[in-house]
Amino acid sequence: MTITSNLARGFPPWPRLPAAEAMLARANTLYAELGRRLEPITVGSSADASLAASTGTPTIDGFGIEGDGAHSIDDQVDFATYEPRTYLLARMLMSVGHAP
């Protein structure tokens, strides 16, 4: 018996819309508290963030741990970035909850 598989990518790239850019700027202001910065990339991915952003909803996808390959077949993670990304997520929730 032979089993063959194929990976089909169907998610669009993250759209660089003004609302998303504003959300990214907010995240970078908060992330700078740790001396860190999010760098935007636009690739087809496996995250629903690209679909949400395409509706005009302010959306970024940068709360997962850092790595390499950005949702590609060569995706890798750096577990040392777990704590800074958790901090960023908590600070974003506080910021958006206080001043949407």
Side-chain angles (χ1 to χ4, degrees), residues 26-28 30-32 34 38 60 62-63 83-94:
R26 180 187 283 205
N28 273 323
L30 299 170
Y31 213 25
L34 298 178
L38 293 175
I60 59 174
F63 299 107
E83 287 182 24
R85 288 299 172 101
T86 302
Y87 176 89
L88 174 61
L89 176 58
R91 290 291 288 125
M92 280 295 287
L93 290 171
M94 292 165 59

Side-chain angles (χ1 to χ4, degrees), residues 15-100:
R16 301 287 300 269
L17 301 173
E21 293 290 342
M23 186 69 69
L24 179 63
R26 180 187 283 205
N28 273 323
T29 297
L30 299 170
Y31 213 25
E33 295 169 358
L34 298 178
R36 301 178 75 89
R37 177 173 175 72
L38 293 175
E39 295 296 334
I41 58 172
T42 303
V43 297
S45 68
S46 59
D48 291 332
S50 59
L51 299 175
S54 69
T55 69
T57 303
T59 308
I60 59 174
D61 178 18
F63 299 107
I65 53 181
E66 296 178 38
D68 194 21
H71 303 297
S72 74
I73 197 161
D74 297 318
D75 201 347
Q76 301 172 20
V77 298
D78 177 358
F79 288 106
T81 63
Y82 179 79
E83 287 182 24
R85 288 299 172 101
T86 302
Y87 176 89
L88 174 61
L89 176 58
R91 290 291 288 125
M92 280 295 287
L93 290 171
M94 292 165 59
S95 176
V96 171
H98 179 71

